[in-house]
């Protein structure tokens, strides 16, 4: 018998540093989908910490990502995911057959202040809502 976790879709968000865009996307998906979706994020060249201005922008949206840390992109993470969403990591993302790949073109929040990050955050939230619809998952909020 399969476990309920095996039936839920899994999504991996990938950007270069795993310090901004992919962290925001993963946080919004976890917040809106709850346990209905397995969520991962990673970077091809992870930073040491999540961008503090990104943490502040997400706090404004009611989501605390201050405890998150950037993670290295692994082949295993890609293999374990149904949907891989890249955000500017280009050719460094491994490709496997049978996966759904999406490339979200988003401004890089690196070196930006909170004012510049808010529109990126809001666009990511809108895209996550669309992704939930594509996955057939009802948002919690």
């Amino acid at each position: 018998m399969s476990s309920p976790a095996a039936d839920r879709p899994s999504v991996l968000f990938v950007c270069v540093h795993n310090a901004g865009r992919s962290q925001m996307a993963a946080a919004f998906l976890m917040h809106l989908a709850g346990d209905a979706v397995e969520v991962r994020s990673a970077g091809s060249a992870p930073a040491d910490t999540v961008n503090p201005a990104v943490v502040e922008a997400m706090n404004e949206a009611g989501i605390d990502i201050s405890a998150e840390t950037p993670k290295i992109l692994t082949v295993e993470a890609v293999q374990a995911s149904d949907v891989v969403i890249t955000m500017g990591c280009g050719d460094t993302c491994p490709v496997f057959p049978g996966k759904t790949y999406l490339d979200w073109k988003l401004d890089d929040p690196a070196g930006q202040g909170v004012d510049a990050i808010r529109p990126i955050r809001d666009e990511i939230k809108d895209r996550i809502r669309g992704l939930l619809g594509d996955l057939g998952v009802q948002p919690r909020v």
Side-chain angles (χ1 to χ4, degrees), residues 49-70:
T49 60
V50 174
N51 179 334
V54 166
V55 171
E56 184 178 339
M58 291 301 288
N59 276 336
E60 291 177 358
I63 301 173
D64 181 6
I65 63 169
S66 61
E68 296 297 324
T69 55

Side-chain angles (χ1 to χ4, degrees), residues 10-14 73 77-79 81-86 93-94 96 99-103:
S10 58
V11 177
L12 170 64
F13 296 100
V14 183
L73 176 64
V78 176
Q79 289 174 320
S81 301
D82 300 313
V83 179
V84 179
I85 299 175
T86 58
C93 297
F96 294 95
K99 307 287 177 199
T100 299
Y101 289 89
L102 303 171
D103 185 43

Side-chain angles (χ1 to χ4, degrees), residues 39-51:
V39 182
R40 299 177 182 88
S41 72
S44 53
D48 292 331
T49 60
V50 174
N51 179 334

Side-chain angles (χ1 to χ4, degrees), residues 8-32:
R8 65 185 179 150
S10 58
V11 177
L12 170 64
F13 296 100
V14 183
C15 65
V16 176
H17 300 298
N18 190 220
R21 294 166 289 188
S22 56
Q23 290 283 353
M24 288 190 283
F28 273 126
L29 185 54
M30 285 186 271
H31 181 73
L32 294 171

